[in-house]
């Protein structure tokens, strides 16, 4: 009994819990921790190099990270971006008539390695009750813990890696939102800006019919004109198909008529030979008389079997044109524009200053053909065959941008 009581004592329970926690934490060695910190530093290096070389990255860090890089303290609004439910609870705490109804102290709980641990936000925090007088201090301490103390080792290495590349030059000349734009670019896309600064090569110029149709498609201009052209092309293809069908039917009919004539001639010869043979048999064998009706039956059966008409084979065409007129072209959507931008530049966002800063080059890649457009993302070059029709430009362009995967960070 004494041993059981000793085992159930609070001191023993606390010691067992601490030993269990130490065993679970021992799964991550010091070498592993150092390696993790080195990786955080490497990510900071990559971010700094991207800014230094004006390369946009598809890394959507919260605004608080850019504030910390510029030594600006995050606030409750930043917490709302990453932890909306917690931020809403803190807002309710600040607006409540009586903060003590929340039954909070200056300590929080956190799950670590399967264990729930208590963390004091200040000295003896578990003994200090949150009231109307100190609730603002509680919110401030929680935000400081979440954005600073809880991630201090990792963020310090991240910031060291970032500053190794860009130094402290950005701290006094950019705001957090501007720093974010340097990394990920602008989300709004103005393709008319892109058109205004695009250059042309290989025989193209801005007045080329292919180029004018290309920009009309990307900027959703002259859609009615494009639809009328699609209908005209469809009517032309349909007429050509009907003429081809009629030509094939005439050829098949002539071939069947010629075969019928040859077959009738052959039947007449066989019929004459059969009659001669029957007459000879009639004269030679008087014991087996042959009636005229039997001769007629044989003749009719042979002629009907040999001269039966063959069924007309179906008409086969290389390309089948639909009997229904084409529908109006769909708009080139924002998602299509982002895919196109990623296809040409390997980034779906605009740099600071807008799309006019990209200075894309459209180079002619041969005459009208079934080739798809291609791109050199390192130089923002689009290789475009000299397509003649709007419909073909739209189809080939959408096929290319929706089935392409180039270089990028994963």
């Amino acid at each position: 009994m004494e041993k059981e009581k000793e085992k159930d004592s609070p001191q023993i329970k606390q010691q067992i819990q601490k030993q269990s926690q130490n065993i679970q934490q021992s799964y991550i060695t010091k070498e592993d921790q150092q390696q993790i910190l080195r990786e955080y530093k490497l990510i900071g290096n990559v971010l700094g190099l991207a800014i230094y070389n004006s390369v946009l990255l598809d890394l959507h860090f919260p605004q608080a990270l850019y504030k910390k890089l510029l030594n600006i303290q995050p606030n409750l609004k930043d917490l709302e971006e990453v932890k909306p439910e917690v931020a809403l609870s803190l807002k309710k705490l600040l607006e409540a008539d009586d903060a003590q109804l929340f039954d909070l102290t200056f300590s929080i709980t956190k799950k670590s390695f399967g264990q729930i641990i208590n963390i004091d936000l200040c000295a003896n925090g578990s003994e200090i009750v949150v009231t109307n007088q100190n609730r603002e201090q509680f919110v401030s301490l929680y935000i400081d813990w979440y954005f600073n103390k809880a991630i201090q080792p990792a963020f310090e290495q991240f910031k060291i890696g970032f500053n190794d590349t860009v130094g402290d030059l950005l701290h006094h000349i950019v705001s957090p939102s501007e720093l974010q734009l340097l990394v990920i670019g602008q989300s709004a896309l103005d393709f008319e800006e892109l058109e205004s600064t695009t250059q042309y090569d290989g025989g193209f110029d801005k007045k080329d019919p292919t180029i004018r149709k290309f920009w009309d498609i990307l900027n959703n201009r002259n859609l009615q004109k494009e639809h009328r052209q699609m209908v005209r092309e469809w009517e032309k293809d349909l007429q050509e198909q009907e003429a081809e069908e009629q030509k094939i039917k005439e050829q098949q009919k002539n071939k069947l008529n010629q075969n019928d004539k040859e077959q009738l001639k052959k039947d007449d010869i066989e019929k004459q030979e059969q009659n001669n043979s029957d007459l000879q048999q009639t004269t030679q064998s008087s014991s087996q008389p042959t009636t005229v009706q039997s001769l007629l039956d044989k003749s009719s059966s042979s002629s009907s079997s040999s001269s039966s008409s063959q069924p007309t084979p179906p008409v086969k065409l290389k390309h089948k044109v639909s009997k229904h007129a084409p529908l109006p072209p769909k708009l080139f959507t924002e998602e299509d524009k982002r895919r196109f931008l990623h296809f040409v530049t390997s980034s779906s966002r605009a740099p600071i200053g807008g799309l006019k800063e990209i200075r894309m080059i459209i180079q002619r890649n041969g005459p009208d053909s079934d080739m798809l457009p291609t791109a050199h993302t390192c130089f923002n070059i689009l290789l475009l065959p000299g397509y003649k029709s709007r419909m073909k430009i739209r189809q080939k362009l959408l096929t290319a941008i929706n089935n392409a995967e180039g270089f990028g960070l994963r």
Side-chain angles (χ1 to χ4, degrees):
M1 292 293 295
E2 291 181 0
K3 288 186 177 180
E4 290 182 0
K5 289 182 180 179
E6 186 176 319
K7 183 178 180 181
D8 293 337
S9 64
Q11 292 82 4
I12 299 297
K13 282 185 177 181
Q14 186 177 3
Q15 185 176 359
I16 293 174
Q17 183 178 359
K18 186 175 180 180
Q19 289 176 352
S20 176
Q21 183 176 343
N22 291 336
I23 291 173
Q24 290 180 350
Q25 288 182 346
S26 66
Y27 290 144
I28 299 180
T29 63
K30 289 185 178 180
E31 290 77 10
D32 293 334
Q33 293 176 356
Q34 292 298 321
Q35 178 61 30
I36 293 173
L37 293 177
R38 283 194 292 269
E39 290 175 358
Y40 276 108
K41 183 179 180 181
L42 178 61
I43 297 173
N45 289 142
V46 171
L47 194 67
L49 284 171
I51 294 175
Y52 185 82
N53 292 285
S54 300
V55 176
L56 299 181
L57 299 178
D58 191 16
L59 296 175
H60 299 279
F61 292 124
Q63 184 80 206
L65 180 132
Y66 299 101
K67 282 188 173 183
K68 286 176 63 62
L69 286 174
L70 299 177
N71 299 322
I72 300 174
Q73 176 64 28
N75 53 32
L76 185 58
K77 186 177 180 180
D78 299 309
L79 183 65
E80 186 177 356
E81 181 182 359
V82 293
K83 287 286 186 178
E85 294 181 356
V86 175
L88 180 61
S89 298
L90 294 178
K91 284 183 177 181
K92 290 181 178 180
L93 174 65
L94 294 173
E95 297 170 357
D97 294 333
D98 186 2
Q100 289 185 260
L101 295 177
F102 286 79
D103 194 21
L104 296 173
T105 63
F106 276 69
S107 66
I108 58 174
T109 58
K110 177 186 176 183
K111 190 174 182 179
S112 178
F113 299 98
Q115 299 291 328
I116 302 298
I117 60 175
N118 294 320
I119 300 174
D120 287 343
L121 298 178
C122 62
N124 301 320
S126 59
E127 299 176 2
I128 303 175
V129 177
V130 177
T131 64
N132 289 358
Q133 289 72 30
N134 61 16
R135 57 186 174 184
E136 291 184 0
Q137 182 185 5
F138 171 82
V139 172
S140 178
L141 289 174
Y142 180 87
I143 293 173
D144 178 65
W145 171 83
Y146 185 84
F147 284 114
N148 297 319
K149 296 178 181 177
I151 60 171
Q152 183 177 359
F155 183 78
E156 281 183 354
Q157 293 301 313
F158 176 83
K159 188 174 182 180
I160 289 173
F162 179 79
N163 288 334
D164 283 347
T165 308
V166 298
D168 297 331
L169 298 176
L170 296 176
H171 292 183
H172 307 291
I173 60 176
V174 297
S175 65
S177 58
E178 291 172 338
L179 181 58
Q180 186 177 31
L181 286 177
L182 287 174
V183 176
I184 64 175
Q186 295 179 347
S187 58
L189 301 178
D190 186 350
F191 267 55
E192 291 187 354
E193 279 190 354
L194 181 63
E195 180 181 0
S196 66
T197 57
T198 296
Q199 301 175 1
Y200 305 95
D201 195 9
F204 275 152
D205 57 55
K206 64 180 181 180
K207 296 182 179 180
D208 190 281
T210 301
I211 296 300
R212 291 204 305 266
K213 295 170 186 175
F214 170 82
W215 287 116
D216 284 350
I217 291 170
L218 261 65
N219 289 310
N220 295 313
R221 297 193 296 248
N222 300 322
L223 292 179
Q224 292 182 351
K225 182 178 180 181
E226 182 179 352
H227 185 224
R228 288 195 297 268
Q229 182 180 355
M230 291 169 62
V231 172
R232 286 196 297 268
E233 292 179 359
W234 167 78
E235 290 174 344
K236 180 181 177 181
D237 293 339
L238 190 61
Q239 290 175 359
E240 292 177 353
Q241 174 177 283
E242 291 174 348
E244 186 179 358
E245 288 178 349
Q246 187 62 30
K247 183 179 179 181
I248 293 175
K249 286 180 180 178
E250 290 293 334
Q251 291 175 350
Q252 292 176 347
K253 184 178 179 181
N254 294 335
K255 186 175 181 180
L256 289 174
N257 291 337
Q258 183 66 25
N259 292 339
D260 289 343
K261 290 179 180 179
E262 293 177 357
Q263 186 64 39
L264 288 172
K265 186 176 181 181
K266 184 178 179 181
D267 291 344
D268 290 340
I269 295 173
E270 291 179 353
K271 183 178 179 180
Q272 186 63 34
E273 291 177 350
Q274 183 67 32
N275 290 337
N276 293 336
S277 176
D278 290 342
L279 289 173
Q280 290 177 2
Q281 290 179 4
T282 303
T283 56
Q284 291 177 1
S285 55
S286 58
S287 59
Q288 297 179 353
T290 304
T291 64
V292 177
Q293 184 64 37
S294 64
L295 289 175
L296 291 174
D297 292 341
K298 290 181 180 180
S299 175
S300 61
S301 63
S302 62
S303 62
S304 61
S305 62
S306 61
S307 62
S308 59
S309 60
Q310 299 178 358
T312 304
V315 177
K316 294 183 179 181
L317 300 173
K318 294 182 180 179
H319 303 286
K320 190 70 173 177
V321 179
S322 173
K323 298 293 184 180
H324 303 286
L327 297 174
K330 295 182 180 180
L331 293 175
F332 209 78
T333 64
E334 287 297 315
E335 182 61 26
D336 292 333
K337 291 180 180 181
R338 295 190 186 283
R339 289 181 181 274
F340 171 80
L341 196 61
H342 187 271
F343 179 77
V344 178
T345 68
S346 76
S347 174
S348 60
R349 300 174 71 91
I352 290 183
L355 291 180
K356 63 179 179 292
E357 301 296 330
I358 290 180
R359 303 190 182 280
M360 182 177 69
I361 299 174
I362 301 180
Q363 180 176 326
R364 185 183 181 93
N365 191 22
D368 187 8
S369 66
D370 289 331
M371 291 178 57
L372 293 174
T374 54
H376 297 309
T377 56
C378 296
F379 306 101
N380 301 336
I381 297 176
L382 174 66
L383 302 177
L384 186 69
Y387 302 126
K388 294 182 179 180
S389 70
R390 293 173 181 269
M391 185 167 60
K392 193 170 189 179
I393 295 174
R394 180 183 294 274
Q395 290 175 345
K396 296 298 183 182
L397 191 60
L398 288 175
T399 300
I401 65 177
N402 289 324
N403 296 276
E405 184 62 43
F407 299 102
L409 292 177
R410 289 292 183 268

